[in-house]
């Protein structure tokens, strides 16, 4: 049996920690993963994806969205549908391990994929800024909504959430960390948001830098 590499975070192999990752918002596909990684660093994601690639193990990121303060960990769930974030007997990566709002400055924010739009909005409001386009429900992960485009009430003014992203850091299917933007690795940059984030595609963002349309809140 292959041994997982040394990691900064934790790996769950049994119990409730697996059950929470077996279903999603659509309630049509249910299959428990073999393991759940709660990464302690981006390097954990790289190592795990590289390990899965070598041993042909399915791997997928799962946002486990929800207001943890209100519903507790047991009330969180994947807001994907039809098993899109379910590795089906493989390794699920809990995006909540990477949930920091790294920095906020006028018109720009740097966030990790597992941070929610509620976290980003709260952090931005303290500086007098809000994201230009928000989903109606804010307790969704930034990486999760970017992977499907990100629709909100202000799309007619600012475009979809992916249209405000300037740069992404992506872990590729072989475990390589790549920075992509409109001027650097553009093909990858355009593939990851709003589409190519399934089990056979790059793991979505470590950090995304949003800008251009950020709205001033003062």
């Amino acid at each position: 049996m292959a041994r997982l590499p040394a990691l900064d975070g934790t790996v769950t192999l049994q119990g409730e920690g697996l059950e929470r990752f077996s279903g999603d918002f659509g309630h049509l596909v249910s299959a428990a993963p073999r393991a759940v990684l709660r990464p302690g660093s981006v390097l954990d994601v790289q190592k795990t994806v590289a390990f899965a690639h070598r041993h042909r193990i399915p791997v997928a990121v799962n946002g486990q969205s929800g207001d943890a303060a209100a519903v507790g960990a047991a009330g969180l769930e994947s807001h994907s549908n039809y098993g899109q974030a379910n590795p089906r007997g493989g390794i699920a990566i809990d995006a909540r391990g990477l949930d920091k709002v790294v920095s906020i400055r006028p018109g720009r924010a740097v966030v990790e994929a597992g941070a929610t739009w509620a976290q980003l909005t709260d952090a931005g409001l303290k500086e007098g800024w809000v994201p230009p386009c928000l989903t109606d429900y804010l307790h969704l992960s930034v990486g999760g909504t970017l992977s499907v485009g990100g629709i909100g009430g202000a799309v007619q003014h600012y475009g979809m959430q992916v249209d405000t992203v300037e740069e992404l850091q992506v872990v590729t299917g072989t475990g390589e960390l790549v920075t992509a933007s409109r001027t650097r690795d553009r093909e990858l940059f355009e593939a990851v948001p709003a589409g190519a984030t399934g089990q056979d595609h790059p793991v979505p963002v470590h950090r995304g830098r949003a800008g251009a349309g950020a709205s001033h809140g003062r």
Side-chain angles (χ1 to χ4, degrees), residues 9-88:
T10 60
V11 176
T12 301
L13 298 174
Q14 60 184 358
E16 183 182 344
L18 295 185
E19 293 170 6
R20 290 206 309 272
F21 290 81
S22 64
D24 60 25
F25 199 69
H27 301 292
L28 293 174
V29 175
S30 179
R34 183 70 177 270
V36 174
L37 166 69
R38 183 76 177 269
S41 63
V42 177
L43 185 58
D44 279 359
V45 178
Q46 290 182 255
K47 288 180 177 180
T48 301
V49 171
F51 174 87
H53 175 73
R54 286 196 304 272
H55 298 285
R56 303 181 65 83
I57 299 171
V59 60
V61 174
N62 191 307
Q64 288 289 291
S65 299
D67 185 356
V71 302
L76 302 177
E77 63 179 335
S78 169
H79 277 246
S80 61
N81 290 281
Y82 208 66
Q84 290 173 313
N86 191 322
R88 297 175 179 80

Side-chain angles (χ1 to χ4, degrees), residues 174-201:
T174 58
E176 181 185 3
L177 183 65
V178 177
T179 299
S181 68
R182 289 179 177 84
T183 58
R184 180 179 180 183
D185 269 309
R186 181 165 183 168
E187 185 176 353
L188 179 63
F189 177 78
E190 293 181 344
V192 173
T197 55
Q199 295 173 29
D200 298 322
H201 296 282

Side-chain angles (χ1 to χ4, degrees), residues 37-215:
L37 166 69
R38 183 76 177 269
S41 63
V42 177
L43 185 58
D44 279 359
V45 178
Q46 290 182 255
K47 288 180 177 180
T48 301
V49 171
F51 174 87
H53 175 73
R54 286 196 304 272
H55 298 285
R56 303 181 65 83
I57 299 171
V59 60
V61 174
N62 191 307
Q64 288 289 291
S65 299
D67 185 356
V71 302
L76 302 177
E77 63 179 335
S78 169
H79 277 246
S80 61
N81 290 281
Y82 208 66
Q84 290 173 313
N86 191 322
R88 297 175 179 80
I91 303 172
I93 298 176
D94 184 352
R96 291 177 302 152
L98 299 172
D99 64 353
K100 297 181 180 64
V101 176
V102 179
S103 66
I104 299 279
R105 60 187 180 88
R108 300 291 185 272
V110 179
V111 301
E112 293 182 332
T116 66
W117 289 99
Q119 287 175 261
L120 178 56
T121 300
D122 287 344
L125 283 171
K126 293 177 182 177
E127 303 296 327
W129 294 86
V130 294
C133 180
L134 290 169
T135 52
D136 292 338
Y137 183 61
L138 296 183
H139 297 284
L140 300 172
S141 67
V142 172
T145 66
L146 292 183
S147 72
V148 293
I151 297 174
V155 293
Q156 70 271 32
H157 299 295
Y158 299 106
M160 300 176 74
Q161 288 177 330
V162 291
D163 295 320
T164 69
V165 175
E166 292 184 344
E167 184 178 276
L168 300 170
Q169 285 190 329
V170 180
V171 176
T172 71
T174 58
E176 181 185 3
L177 183 65
V178 177
T179 299
S181 68
R182 289 179 177 84
T183 58
R184 180 179 180 183
D185 269 309
R186 181 165 183 168
E187 185 176 353
L188 179 63
F189 177 78
E190 293 181 344
V192 173
T197 55
Q199 295 173 29
D200 298 322
H201 296 282
V203 173
V205 299
H206 153 41
R207 293 180 180 176
R209 186 171 66 196
S215 302

